[in-house]
Amino acid sequence: QVQLTESGGGLVQTGGSLRLSCAASGRTSSIYTMGWFRQAPGKERESVAAIVWSGGNTAVADSVKGRFTISRDNAKNTVYLQMNSLKPEDTAVYYCAATWRDSNWYEKSTYDYWGQGTQVTVSS
């Protein structure tokens, strides 16, 4: 199976930056797409970004476009989310996810494996 471990969350001031990492282990050859989701208190989990593992094609949500960038390191089996110009509304638990499916990147049901989440808090 696949295990996902997120890291890099923390407390940052408005306008600051963080880089989240998600390390995949296990049967990583089965992964087609990896994505990032976030869930703020009292809100639904929403898609943030996704990347196709082999080719590197990416997609980002409109809410973070121009500020967040998703990337990967094949050698390290790791996907990154570079978060710049952070705003208080970015505060959430961020989850890494992976799937073998070639399907809608923004749907939670697309993903087979999930990490435990990492907290990002942006102070105003």
Side-chain angles (χ1 to χ4, degrees), residues 17 41 73 100 109 114 124:
S17 298
D73 186 331
W100 58 267
S109 60
W114 294 83
S124 59

Side-chain angles (χ1 to χ4, degrees), residues 38-119:
R38 67 185 183 185
Q39 187 166 19
K43 301 186 70 175
E44 295 292 323
R45 191 172 299 186
E46 64 176 355
S47 60
V48 177
I51 185 167
V52 176
W53 194 253
S54 60
N57 291 339
T58 63
V60 296
D62 288 341
S63 60
V64 302
K65 190 173 296 182
R67 300 187 297 119
F68 291 10
T69 303
I70 188 170
S71 62
R72 54 141 165 76
D73 186 331
N74 285 352
K76 296 181 178 180
N77 291 321
T78 299
V79 64
Y80 304 97
L81 186 68
Q82 180 65 48
M83 309 165 66
N84 298 327
S85 302
L86 283 163
K87 306 174 181 179
E89 50 263 45
D90 296 318
T91 295
V93 177
Y94 284 71
Y95 297 91
C96 178
T99 181
W100 58 267
R101 300 182 181 90
D102 178 10
S103 189
N104 294 331
W105 67 272
Y106 50 84
E107 293 186 355
K108 291 183 291 184
S109 60
T110 292
Y111 296 88
D112 305 293
Y113 307 100
W114 294 83
Q116 81 288 347
T118 185
Q119 177 71 48

Side-chain angles (χ1 to χ4, degrees), residues 1-5 22-31 34 53 74-78 98 113:
Q1 298 300 314
V2 173
Q3 296 81 43
L4 304 174
T5 303
C22 176
S25 60
R27 299 176 184 176
T28 57
S29 61
S30 67
I31 297 173
M34 294 186 67
W53 194 253
N74 285 352
K76 296 181 178 180
N77 291 321
T78 299
Y113 307 100

